[in-house]
Short mmCIF file of all heavy atoms in Angstrom, two decimals:
data_model
loop_
_atom_site.label_atom_id
_atom_site.label_comp_id
_atom_site.label_asym_id
_atom_site.label_seq_id
_atom_site.Cartn_x
_atom_site.Cartn_y
_atom_site.Cartn_z
N ASP D 165 121.82 90.87 102.67
CA ASP D 165 121.35 91.06 104.17
C ASP D 165 122.41 91.84 104.89
O ASP D 165 123.52 91.50 105.17
CB ASP D 165 121.26 89.65 104.74
CG ASP D 165 120.81 89.68 106.15
OD1 ASP D 165 120.75 90.76 106.84
OD2 ASP D 165 120.23 88.66 106.70
N GLN D 166 121.96 93.05 105.28
CA GLN D 166 122.86 94.04 105.93
C GLN D 166 123.33 93.66 107.21
O GLN D 166 124.23 94.26 107.83
CB GLN D 166 122.15 95.45 105.96
CG GLN D 166 121.71 96.02 104.61
CD GLN D 166 122.89 96.21 103.66
OE1 GLN D 166 123.68 97.07 103.86
NE2 GLN D 166 122.93 95.53 102.45
N THR D 167 122.72 92.61 107.79
CA THR D 167 123.18 92.13 109.07
C THR D 167 124.33 91.12 108.88
O THR D 167 125.11 90.78 109.87
CB THR D 167 122.09 91.41 109.97
OG1 THR D 167 121.75 90.20 109.31
CG2 THR D 167 120.93 92.36 110.11
N VAL D 168 124.52 90.60 107.73
CA VAL D 168 125.64 89.70 107.38
C VAL D 168 126.87 90.47 107.03
O VAL D 168 127.89 90.28 107.65
CB VAL D 168 125.32 88.81 106.19
CG1 VAL D 168 126.49 88.06 105.80
CG2 VAL D 168 124.12 87.89 106.64
N VAL D 169 126.70 91.40 106.18
CA VAL D 169 127.75 92.44 105.84
C VAL D 169 127.10 93.64 105.41
O VAL D 169 126.06 93.58 104.61
CB VAL D 169 128.77 91.81 104.80
CG1 VAL D 169 128.02 91.31 103.52
CG2 VAL D 169 129.81 92.87 104.42
N ALA D 170 127.55 94.77 105.75
CA ALA D 170 126.73 96.07 105.58
C ALA D 170 127.33 96.91 104.56
O ALA D 170 128.37 97.50 104.63
CB ALA D 170 126.67 96.74 107.00
N GLY D 171 126.57 97.10 103.46
CA GLY D 171 126.96 98.02 102.49
C GLY D 171 126.77 97.61 101.03
O GLY D 171 126.74 98.39 100.09
N LEU D 172 126.74 96.31 100.82
CA LEU D 172 126.50 95.74 99.47
C LEU D 172 125.11 95.93 99.11
O LEU D 172 124.13 95.76 99.89
CB LEU D 172 126.91 94.31 99.39
CG LEU D 172 128.41 93.92 99.67
CD1 LEU D 172 128.63 92.45 99.68
CD2 LEU D 172 129.30 94.64 98.73
N GLY D 173 124.80 96.09 97.76
CA GLY D 173 123.53 96.18 97.28
C GLY D 173 123.39 95.32 96.05
O GLY D 173 124.27 94.56 95.73
N ASN D 174 122.30 95.40 95.30
CA ASN D 174 121.99 94.43 94.19
C ASN D 174 123.01 94.43 93.13
O ASN D 174 123.30 93.40 92.57
CB ASN D 174 120.61 94.94 93.71
CG ASN D 174 119.95 93.68 92.88
OD1 ASN D 174 120.03 92.57 93.48
ND2 ASN D 174 119.42 94.02 91.77
N ILE D 175 123.50 95.63 92.76
CA ILE D 175 124.57 95.63 91.68
C ILE D 175 125.84 94.91 92.12
O ILE D 175 126.28 94.09 91.39
CB ILE D 175 124.85 97.09 91.30
CG1 ILE D 175 123.64 97.76 90.68
CG2 ILE D 175 126.02 97.12 90.38
CD1 ILE D 175 123.94 99.22 90.26
N TYR D 176 126.36 95.48 93.18
CA TYR D 176 127.70 95.03 93.54
C TYR D 176 127.79 93.59 94.05
O TYR D 176 128.73 92.96 93.85
CB TYR D 176 128.32 95.96 94.63
CG TYR D 176 128.53 97.37 94.05
CD1 TYR D 176 127.82 98.42 94.35
CD2 TYR D 176 129.60 97.45 93.10
CE1 TYR D 176 128.00 99.62 93.80
CE2 TYR D 176 129.90 98.76 92.60
CZ TYR D 176 129.05 99.80 92.85
OH TYR D 176 129.36 101.03 92.24
N VAL D 177 126.63 93.03 94.46
CA VAL D 177 126.61 91.66 94.79
C VAL D 177 126.81 90.76 93.57
O VAL D 177 127.61 89.83 93.55
CB VAL D 177 125.36 91.20 95.60
CG1 VAL D 177 125.16 89.79 95.60
CG2 VAL D 177 125.37 91.83 96.97
N SER D 178 126.11 91.16 92.58
CA SER D 178 126.27 90.38 91.30
C SER D 178 127.68 90.47 90.79
O SER D 178 128.31 89.46 90.30
CB SER D 178 125.32 90.98 90.19
OG SER D 178 124.01 90.33 90.29
N GLU D 179 128.21 91.69 90.80
CA GLU D 179 129.49 91.85 90.29
C GLU D 179 130.61 91.13 91.15
O GLU D 179 131.48 90.38 90.61
CB GLU D 179 130.03 93.38 90.33
CG GLU D 179 129.15 94.21 89.34
CD GLU D 179 129.51 93.84 87.87
OE1 GLU D 179 130.64 93.78 87.52
OE2 GLU D 179 128.51 93.63 87.10
N CYS D 180 130.43 91.09 92.51
CA CYS D 180 131.44 90.40 93.31
C CYS D 180 131.38 88.97 93.19
O CYS D 180 132.34 88.22 93.12
CB CYS D 180 131.11 90.73 94.82
SG CYS D 180 131.50 92.45 95.23
N LEU D 181 130.13 88.36 93.07
CA LEU D 181 129.98 86.99 92.90
C LEU D 181 130.61 86.47 91.54
O LEU D 181 131.21 85.40 91.45
CB LEU D 181 128.50 86.50 92.95
CG LEU D 181 127.96 86.56 94.38
CD1 LEU D 181 126.42 86.37 94.36
CD2 LEU D 181 128.63 85.53 95.34
N PHE D 182 130.51 87.27 90.55
CA PHE D 182 131.07 86.96 89.29
C PHE D 182 132.62 86.88 89.47
O PHE D 182 133.24 85.88 89.08
CB PHE D 182 130.78 88.00 88.14
CG PHE D 182 131.58 87.70 86.84
CD1 PHE D 182 131.11 86.83 85.99
CD2 PHE D 182 132.82 88.27 86.62
CE1 PHE D 182 131.78 86.48 84.84
CE2 PHE D 182 133.51 88.01 85.47
CZ PHE D 182 133.01 87.15 84.57
N HIS D 183 133.21 87.87 90.10
CA HIS D 183 134.59 87.98 90.17
C HIS D 183 135.10 86.79 91.17
O HIS D 183 136.31 86.35 90.94
CB HIS D 183 135.15 89.35 90.76
CG HIS D 183 135.05 90.35 89.79
ND1 HIS D 183 135.93 90.56 88.72
CD2 HIS D 183 134.10 91.39 89.55
CE1 HIS D 183 135.56 91.57 87.98
NE2 HIS D 183 134.42 92.07 88.44
N ALA D 184 134.35 86.31 91.98
CA ALA D 184 134.65 85.24 92.90
C ALA D 184 134.45 83.84 92.27
O ALA D 184 134.78 82.82 92.80
CB ALA D 184 134.01 85.37 94.25
N GLY D 185 133.63 83.81 91.13
CA GLY D 185 133.36 82.62 90.52
C GLY D 185 132.33 81.79 91.22
O GLY D 185 132.38 80.53 91.13
N ILE D 186 131.51 82.48 92.03
CA ILE D 186 130.52 81.79 92.87
C ILE D 186 129.10 82.02 92.26
O ILE D 186 128.71 83.14 91.99
CB ILE D 186 130.61 82.23 94.27
CG1 ILE D 186 131.94 81.99 94.96
CG2 ILE D 186 129.39 81.68 95.13
CD1 ILE D 186 132.23 82.63 96.23
N SER D 187 128.39 80.88 92.20
CA SER D 187 126.95 81.04 91.60
C SER D 187 126.11 81.80 92.72
O SER D 187 126.23 81.43 93.82
CB SER D 187 126.37 79.69 91.50
OG SER D 187 124.94 79.83 91.15
N PRO D 188 125.30 82.74 92.25
CA PRO D 188 124.40 83.34 93.21
C PRO D 188 123.40 82.45 93.89
O PRO D 188 122.83 82.77 94.94
CB PRO D 188 123.76 84.42 92.30
CG PRO D 188 123.87 83.97 90.87
CD PRO D 188 125.16 83.20 90.91
N ARG D 189 123.22 81.29 93.29
CA ARG D 189 122.18 80.39 93.78
C ARG D 189 122.82 79.41 94.88
O ARG D 189 122.11 78.80 95.60
CB ARG D 189 121.67 79.46 92.65
CG ARG D 189 120.89 80.12 91.63
CD ARG D 189 120.42 78.95 90.70
NE ARG D 189 119.43 79.55 89.67
CZ ARG D 189 119.58 79.41 88.39
NH1 ARG D 189 120.61 78.78 87.95
NH2 ARG D 189 118.61 79.81 87.64
N ARG D 190 124.08 79.42 94.96
CA ARG D 190 124.78 78.50 95.99
C ARG D 190 124.31 78.85 97.40
O ARG D 190 124.26 80.05 97.84
CB ARG D 190 126.28 78.58 95.85
CG ARG D 190 127.03 77.92 96.87
CD ARG D 190 128.56 78.08 96.54
NE ARG D 190 129.05 77.23 95.41
CZ ARG D 190 129.33 75.98 95.67
NH1 ARG D 190 129.24 75.36 96.82
NH2 ARG D 190 129.65 75.18 94.60
N SER D 191 124.02 77.81 98.17
CA SER D 191 123.69 78.02 99.55
C SER D 191 124.80 78.77 100.34
O SER D 191 125.94 78.36 100.09
CB SER D 191 123.40 76.69 100.24
OG SER D 191 122.05 76.24 99.97
N ALA D 192 124.48 79.75 100.99
CA ALA D 192 125.49 80.63 101.74
C ALA D 192 126.36 79.67 102.56
O ALA D 192 127.62 79.96 102.58
CB ALA D 192 124.78 81.66 102.61
N HIS D 193 125.96 78.74 103.29
CA HIS D 193 126.77 78.01 104.20
C HIS D 193 127.76 77.12 103.50
O HIS D 193 128.75 76.57 104.10
CB HIS D 193 125.90 77.11 105.08
CG HIS D 193 125.27 75.86 104.44
ND1 HIS D 193 124.09 75.98 103.69
CD2 HIS D 193 125.70 74.59 104.31
CE1 HIS D 193 123.81 74.77 103.19
NE2 HIS D 193 124.72 73.95 103.65
N THR D 194 127.63 77.00 102.10
CA THR D 194 128.60 76.14 101.38
C THR D 194 129.75 77.04 100.89
O THR D 194 130.61 76.63 100.24
CB THR D 194 128.04 75.43 100.20
OG1 THR D 194 127.56 76.46 99.19
CG2 THR D 194 126.79 74.64 100.64
N VAL D 195 129.56 78.37 101.15
CA VAL D 195 130.69 79.31 100.73
C VAL D 195 131.60 79.39 102.02
O VAL D 195 131.41 80.17 102.97
CB VAL D 195 130.13 80.69 100.38
CG1 VAL D 195 131.31 81.59 100.10
CG2 VAL D 195 129.20 80.48 99.20
N GLN D 196 132.62 78.56 101.93
CA GLN D 196 133.61 78.48 103.07
C GLN D 196 134.93 78.36 102.40
O GLN D 196 135.17 78.15 101.27
CB GLN D 196 133.32 77.20 103.89
CG GLN D 196 131.98 77.30 104.58
CD GLN D 196 131.99 78.23 105.79
OE1 GLN D 196 132.95 78.19 106.59
NE2 GLN D 196 130.92 79.05 105.99
N GLY D 197 136.00 78.38 103.26
CA GLY D 197 137.36 78.06 102.78
C GLY D 197 137.84 78.96 101.58
O GLY D 197 137.70 80.14 101.65
N GLY D 198 138.26 78.21 100.60
CA GLY D 198 138.71 78.94 99.42
C GLY D 198 137.79 79.89 98.73
O GLY D 198 138.12 80.95 98.25
N ARG D 199 136.51 79.48 98.72
CA ARG D 199 135.46 80.31 98.10
C ARG D 199 135.35 81.59 98.93
O ARG D 199 135.16 82.69 98.39
CB ARG D 199 134.14 79.53 98.06
CG ARG D 199 134.08 78.60 96.98
CD ARG D 199 132.64 78.08 96.63
NE ARG D 199 132.65 77.08 95.54
CZ ARG D 199 132.76 75.87 95.63
NH1 ARG D 199 132.86 75.39 96.87
NH2 ARG D 199 132.70 75.05 94.59
N CYS D 200 135.46 81.44 100.26
CA CYS D 200 135.34 82.73 101.00
C CYS D 200 136.60 83.65 100.78
O CYS D 200 136.42 84.77 100.69
CB CYS D 200 135.38 82.27 102.56
SG CYS D 200 133.75 82.39 103.19
N GLU D 201 137.77 82.98 100.67
CA GLU D 201 139.00 83.83 100.31
C GLU D 201 138.71 84.58 99.02
O GLU D 201 138.99 85.84 99.01
CB GLU D 201 140.15 82.94 100.12
CG GLU D 201 140.50 82.02 101.29
CD GLU D 201 141.37 82.73 102.35
OE1 GLU D 201 141.70 83.91 102.04
OE2 GLU D 201 141.69 82.16 103.38
#
Side-chain angles (χ1 to χ4, degrees):
Chain D
D165 182 341
Q166 302 295 298
T167 69
V168 171
V169 54
L172 297 177
N174 202 45
I175 292 179
Y176 292 105
V177 166
S178 275
E179 293 295 312
C180 291
L181 286 172
F182 175 85
H183 288 283
I186 297 169
S187 168
R189 294 184 171 125
R190 173 177 282 278
S191 280
H193 74 278
T194 70
V195 179
Q196 295 286 317
R199 285 196 177 89
C200 260
E201 302 275 0

